[in-house]
Amino acid sequence: MQDKPYFCPNCRSNRTKFRVLSTASQSFMKEAVSGAVTEMSEPVMVDEAEPTIGCQVCGFIGNEMRFVKQAEREPRVMTPTDPVYR
């Protein structure tokens, strides 16, 4: 994952709540007549070239670059605050 800001391209309100989705592969064999599972291997994680990201606000799922590019198109500007009250 890149150390860059994200911004959801779908709901356009979320900049903070995301999840990383990963894929696993698991082989199994079934009995041809009954359909019962006869043998199952352990799950193996599938390496992906780019992480899949999900927005926890609207549920949108896409590749990481969609979230990064949206944040670049609409950057969040840090505004200085003056905590001195008069």
Side-chain angles (χ1 to χ4, degrees), residues 14-65:
N14 181 23
R15 292 181 184 266
T16 58
K17 297 178 184 178
F18 301 97
R19 63 180 175 267
V20 178
L21 306 169
S22 57
T23 307
S25 173
Q26 187 173 19
S27 301
F28 62 92
M29 293 182 68
K30 288 184 131 192
E31 212 277 329
V33 176
S34 68
V37 175
T38 58
E39 188 178 319
M40 188 170 288
S41 70
E42 291 296 317
V44 177
M45 295 304 292
V46 176
D47 290 332
E48 298 179 13
E50 186 174 353
T52 302
I53 306 297
C55 174
Q56 289 187 0
V57 173
C58 70
F60 176 77
I61 296 171
N63 62 9
E64 182 181 34
M65 285 310 295

Side-chain angles (χ1 to χ4, degrees), residues 51-84:
T52 302
I53 306 297
C55 174
Q56 289 187 0
V57 173
C58 70
F60 176 77
I61 296 171
N63 62 9
E64 182 181 34
M65 285 310 295
R66 286 195 70 181
F67 290 86
V68 170
K69 290 295 183 186
Q70 186 67 31
E72 289 173 355
R73 279 192 289 275
E74 298 182 43
R76 187 64 170 258
V77 180
M78 298 293 274
T79 55
T81 57
D82 186 12
V84 177

